Amino acid sequence: MGHCKARLIGGVLCVLLVLTSVPAKAEETLQLASQAAVLMDADTGVVLYEKNMNEQLYPASITKLMTALLAMEALEPEQVLTVSQTAVNAVPRTSSHIGLLAGERLTVDQALYAIGMESANDAANVLAEAVSGSLEAFAEKMNEKARELGALNTHFTNANGLPDSGHVTTAYDMALITAAALKQEGLATYFSTVNYTLSATNLSSARSFANKDRLLPGGQYYYDGVLLAKTGWTSSAQGTFAAAVRKGQTTLVAITLKSPLLEDKYKDTHKLLDYGFSHYSSVNVSGEQITAQLSLGEYTPVKGQKFSYLIPAGALFTDIRYSLSEDAVLSENGPLQTTVGIDASLEGAVLPQVQVKLERPAPQREAFILAELLSAGGTSPEQVQAILNALRIPAAVVGVLLLIFMVLLFRRQLQRHRRRRHLKARIRRMKKRME
């Protein structure tokens, strides 16, 4: 229970950070038909544009992004699953499905293609049971994961998004879930493939899937750079849509909920993405560039660190201003390596905090002990430093003299060894003569 509370608190802090890390928007209002929408930077979680993003609405089949995320975290692609009667019976035949039969066997990989391309509710149930043992337990796991991601206004009751009064989310929460799904290696493939054939199973002949998502290649509303897209619809949810698109270094997530007409979710998604890519651009900044403006004492950034910021188009990364977070502590006697939070702002707008690794050189142990003794005796830090400086030259002289002494001692021992060896040789020669 304590672990859950800790994650809940962490999620709240994550939300607060994102909500206070919104770059200044251009004074432009997009005409969106969808009741709620959000555009988010996938890398930082910064919201670039929103409309009613915290209003609870029904997600419909974009729920399956969470289902796929949990399945890929828990299962292996080639793992064989057996369809249960419960998984089949829980899906109305009037909803999206691929006609799975109780006792039929298919792999996790095949089930993921089924939910990503055909929005198969029966395949979603099969994955849910494989992960958690039951549909109810999987729904609990979905809610746990949602809280972990900071999606605090979301509550799932099933793995597929079929209508339920308690199955709700928000545009903002779905953006967080979509961004997390995008980061799961390989997941985007199942939600971006246009054509796929599920080979014959023990109870069915081969099935051919054709993705009808119009944002993907070949679709009426194709968007260049699309990484994944998932559409949803029920009579209560109306149109829902989740998409992730990358151009250059910038990756954006667009979510629309409760779109009245079929075309509305696609048109609104285009408006959101066009707005984002025209108003913002990603820049990479090194740890050295970030810390150049800060006073860190002996600390310097660990080499090779890169950080990404999404800034308004036309702005320069050199205009970003940095400051140590309020809880950052750097002391002369601190650890040799530490991590500190560094806040950033640009033209008054707050950018996301980054965690920068720092290091400092190890002190010479002798000087450190002497400094401790002097400090313990009431000597001020300035006096301690003066004494240490004064001792440096005498210490160097002593070191040179000690080295000379060691060389002379070695030379003397070597000469003694040679004399003893010559003496032994003379004695052996004398003994031979006497014989």
Side-chain angles (χ1 to χ4, degrees), residues 19-318:
L19 292 181
T20 56
S21 302
V22 182
K25 303 186 184 78
E27 294 183 1
E28 179 179 341
T29 300
L30 303 180
Q31 299 301 315
L32 304 178
S34 305
Q35 184 163 322
V38 71
L39 181 69
M40 178 181 287
D41 174 25
D43 296 320
T44 64
V46 170
V47 174
L48 307 179
Y49 191 92
E50 62 92 12
K51 175 186 177 182
N52 302 325
M53 71 175 184
N54 292 315
E55 181 180 355
Q56 284 189 324
L57 297 166
Y58 301 126
S61 282
I62 60 175
T63 297
K64 295 181 176 75
L65 286 167
M66 174 65 90
T67 302
L69 175 60
L70 292 175
M72 293 192 71
E73 288 180 345
L75 308 173
E76 295 298 326
E78 299 307 316
Q79 183 175 337
V80 177
L81 311 176
T82 301
V83 180
S84 73
Q85 192 66 57
T86 300
V88 173
N89 291 345
V91 176
R93 283 317 194 193
T94 55
S95 69
S96 301
H97 65 87
I98 58 170
L100 292 175
L101 302 172
E104 188 171 358
R105 293 191 296 273
L106 72 166
T107 66
V108 170
D109 186 63
Q110 291 170 329
L112 286 169
Y113 274 113
I115 69 170
M117 298 180 64
E118 292 292 327
S119 200
N121 295 321
D122 45 3
N125 285 349
V126 173
L127 289 169
E129 289 184 332
V131 172
S132 299
S134 71
L135 301 180
E136 294 76 16
F138 186 75
E140 293 178 6
K141 192 173 185 67
M142 295 171 77
N143 293 324
E144 181 182 346
K145 184 67 174 181
R147 291 191 294 271
E148 179 184 323
L149 296 175
L152 305 182
N153 290 313
T154 291
H155 183 265
F156 293 121
T157 61
N158 58 64
N160 42 51
L162 286 171
D164 187 291
S165 59
H167 192 90
V168 293
T169 190
T170 67
Y172 173 75
D173 285 2
M174 276 310 307
L176 293 177
I177 293 168
T178 303
L182 185 63
K183 292 180 175 67
Q184 178 66 41
E185 184 178 358
L187 186 147
T189 300
Y190 303 109
F191 294 87
S192 60
T193 300
V194 176
N195 294 292
Y196 173 79
T197 298
L198 193 158
S199 56
T201 69
N202 60 317
L203 297 180
S204 173
S205 58
R207 299 172 173 94
S208 296
F209 299 160
N211 201 322
K212 301 176 181 63
D213 193 308
R214 301 184 185 183
L215 202 77
L216 297 176
Q220 179 183 355
Y221 294 96
Y222 169 65
Y223 203 99
D224 185 31
V226 60
L227 300 176
L228 67 80
K230 183 69 187 81
T231 183
W233 185 90
T234 65
S235 58
S236 53
Q238 297 186 28
T240 64
F241 198 66
V245 176
R246 177 180 296 142
K247 285 191 175 183
Q249 301 179 36
T250 306
T251 304
L252 302 181
V253 169
I255 305 293
T256 57
L257 297 179
K258 203 167 186 179
S259 306
L261 302 177
L262 175 63
E263 293 81 7
D264 289 337
K265 56 189 175 187
Y266 294 112
K267 291 179 179 178
D268 287 353
T269 298
H270 268 258
K271 291 178 182 179
L272 289 167
L273 293 170
D274 288 345
Y275 173 86
F277 288 119
S278 64
H279 285 76
Y280 297 93
S281 60
S282 289
V283 293
N284 290 326
V285 184
S286 67
E288 289 80 2
Q289 289 171 319
I290 289 178
T291 57
Q293 301 178 15
L294 306 175
S295 177
L296 304 176
E298 293 184 326
Y299 284 95
T300 57
V302 174
K303 293 183 178 180
Q305 297 180 88
K306 295 290 184 181
F307 303 91
S308 177
Y309 291 105
L310 199 66
I311 63 176
L316 301 175
F317 76 90
T318 52

Side-chain angles (χ1 to χ4, degrees), residues 306-377:
K306 295 290 184 181
F307 303 91
S308 177
Y309 291 105
L310 199 66
I311 63 176
L316 301 175
F317 76 90
T318 52
D319 294 330
I320 301 176
R321 293 294 171 259
Y322 305 98
S323 62
L324 285 171
S325 62
E326 293 183 358
D327 59 350
V329 177
L330 296 175
S331 63
E332 293 182 0
N333 298 326
L336 296 182
Q337 282 201 349
T338 187
T339 301
V340 296
I342 295 181
D343 299 321
S345 63
L346 177 63
E347 299 176 355
V350 178
L351 298 176
Q353 186 184 91
V354 295
Q355 300 294 314
V356 180
K357 295 179 181 179
L358 304 177
E359 61 184 0
R360 68 180 182 89
Q364 293 185 359
R365 187 60 191 165
E366 294 78 5
F368 180 68
I369 294 175
L370 180 58
E372 283 185 329
L373 293 174
L374 291 172
S375 298

